[in-house]
Amino acid sequence: MLTAGVDLAAENKGTALAVIEWSGARATLAELTLGVGDAAIADAATAVDKLGIDCAFGWPDEFVSFVVANADHESVDGLEVDGGMDWRRTLAYRETDREVRAKTGRWPLSVSTDRLGLTAMRCAGLLGRIQARGVEVDRSGAGVVVEIYPGASLRLWGFDTTGYRVGATARELLLAQILDAAPWLDLQGSADLMVRSGDAFDAVIAALASRSAALGHYDAPAPEQLARARREGWTALPTAPLSALHPA
């Protein structure tokens, strides 16, 4: 099996791609690249069994409806706008975001109100490019492409993620803990790059979490959530420990 992970940013700078080959008793980091463009990611989607992207795949249904209605001046009077926090959260967060908070105790970034928006715009185009390559995209994660949240995956695997996105020292400590828990993971000399770059680090974690999704070790949307997940996207949160990814 080949799994890939993408730490997506609004531009190529800040975007990283990792590919892990799962064979025998080893999981080998076959590729780790920084400054990755859409074409390279779309190419990877055609070559791997699962591609995990760290970005929201869509926007909340309520937000989409609100923007469309607000654009039609004749519909403004009919909008149910109270401005309160509960109402705003229906526009800010997707169904899967509420599931993430319930399982991790933290809200993910809001795709409609936070800095994630520009990256999500790129992701929407990227998913279109992947589909144009003949890879069917199911935003619920049922196909090759799946939405991944590296920080939440690490926390659900039992790791302390404090400061790892902003500090090399925290990443070095966290990586040592990951390798202790996963001695079968061969980074092929890329540990230093993961310590230097939080983008590279998260791409590798996304590739690991993609393996979890490929094996079915994640909370898929319930039947009543599926249609919404196919519009908004769905974060594949691991439900089994990191050791369950062992290829042997």
Side-chain angles (χ1 to χ4, degrees):
M1 179 185 289
L2 288 174
T3 65
V6 177
D7 183 48
L8 195 68
E11 303 289 345
N12 292 1
K13 181 181 180 180
T15 298
L17 170 68
V19 178
I20 295 178
E21 180 179 0
W22 304 83
S23 179
R26 305 294 292 171
T28 303
L29 183 59
E31 178 182 346
L32 181 57
T33 310
L34 297 175
V36 181
D38 288 4
I41 299 170
D43 285 343
T46 68
V48 301
D49 299 281
K50 205 74 171 178
L51 170 70
I53 301 175
D54 178 17
C55 186
F57 282 5
W59 285 262
D61 280 356
E62 293 83 359
F63 175 75
V64 173
S65 298
F66 173 75
V67 171
V68 170
N70 191 57
D72 179 0
H73 293 287
E74 295 180 0
S75 301
V76 172
D77 291 341
L79 290 176
E80 296 181 6
V81 179
D82 66 22
M85 180 59 72
D86 289 343
W87 174 82
R88 280 179 283 159
R89 279 185 176 147
T90 65
L91 274 65
Y93 296 107
R94 304 170 296 157
E95 180 71 9
T96 189
D97 297 332
R98 288 184 278 274
E99 292 284 337
V100 168
R101 185 176 188 273
K103 291 177 173 62
T104 69
R106 304 186 188 187
W107 285 109
L109 290 177
S110 164
V111 66
S112 52
T113 64
D114 214 319
R115 296 164 295 173
L116 185 58
L118 287 174
T119 306
M121 293 175 193
R122 180 186 180 186
C123 187
L126 174 60
L127 294 179
R129 290 178 179 85
I130 289 172
Q131 188 145 311
R133 301 289 181 94
V135 178
E136 185 176 355
V137 174
D138 184 333
R139 296 182 200 173
S140 73
V144 171
V145 184
V146 64
E147 182 180 320
I148 295 296
Y149 184 174
S153 297
L154 287 166
R155 289 191 287 275
L156 289 170
W157 283 329
F159 298 106
D160 181 1
T161 60
T162 303
Y164 91 97
R165 276 298 303 178
V166 296
T169 300
R171 285 193 294 274
E172 184 174 24
L173 177 61
L174 178 55
L175 183 57
Q177 294 170 346
I178 291 170
L179 292 175
D180 281 344
W184 36 263
L185 178 60
D186 182 358
L187 295 178
Q188 291 285 291
S190 292
D192 287 346
L193 178 57
M194 291 177 66
V195 170
R196 292 196 309 270
S197 168
D199 305 320
F201 194 104
D202 268 358
V204 174
I205 301 306
L208 291 171
S210 296
R211 165 78 168 182
S212 187
L215 296 176
H217 300 326
Y218 76 103
D219 279 322
E224 65 273 14
Q225 297 171 311
L226 186 56
R228 185 171 179 128
R230 285 175 172 162
R231 294 189 299 270
E232 295 184 341
W234 187 267
T235 306
L237 296 176
T239 56
L242 185 62
S243 59
L245 308 187
H246 195 291

